[in-house]
């Protein structure tokens, strides 16, 4: 394994997400599977609790779930492209191992 890959995997291992869900959410399992498949640890928050629901709304401005927070990005709903972008690996600089 190259040095660059090892560093990228270490960074990925330290990446954490927060996902706001509800028990009846149809798309929440897809987001959780995406995060798990991409080695992203996450904390699940139940937005059916009124106080937690307020947190999700404050982040997203939307009364819907899932709301996913990865780094400084907020993704509303099941949006594969935005989730992929949020966890994107850094592009190697020419000349790095």
């Amino acid at each position: 394994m190259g040095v660059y890959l090892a560093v990228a995997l270490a960074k990925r291992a330290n990446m954490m997400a927060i996902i706001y869900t509800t028990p009846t959410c149809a798309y929440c399992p897809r987001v959780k599977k995406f995060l798990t498949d991409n080695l992203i640890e996450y904390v699940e928050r139940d937005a059916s609790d009124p106080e937690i629901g307020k947190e999700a709304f404050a982040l997203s401005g939307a009364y819907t779930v899932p709301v996913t927070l990865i780094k400084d990005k907020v993704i509303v709903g099941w949006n594969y492209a935005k989730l992929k972008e949020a966890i994107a690996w850094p592009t190697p600089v020419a000349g790095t191992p």
Side-chain angles (χ1 to χ4, degrees):
M1 175 181 336
V3 172
Y4 178 77
L5 181 57
V7 170
L9 287 172
K11 286 182 180 178
R12 176 65 55 94
N14 291 325
M15 191 179 297
M16 177 67 79
I18 299 172
I19 178 172
Y20 292 87
T21 66
T22 62
T24 59
C25 173
Y27 293 106
C28 296
R30 288 185 187 188
V31 174
K32 292 189 283 188
K33 181 174 181 348
F34 172 87
L35 295 171
T36 300
D37 289 352
N38 285 279
L39 307 176
I40 308 297
E41 292 184 37
Y42 63 88
V43 174
E44 186 174 359
R45 308 270 295 155
D46 185 356
S48 62
D49 175 299
E51 290 304 311
I52 296 171
K54 287 178 188 176
E55 286 177 28
F57 178 75
L59 282 171
S60 67
Y63 288 110
T64 190
V65 288
V67 173
T68 309
L69 177 64
I70 303 174
K71 296 185 268 188
D72 61 344
K73 297 189 182 346
V74 176
I75 299 104
V76 178
W78 165 244
N79 189 320
Y80 180 82
K82 287 189 178 183
L83 287 164
K84 253 334 225 187
E85 180 183 312
I87 66 162
W89 291 44
T91 304
V93 177
T96 59

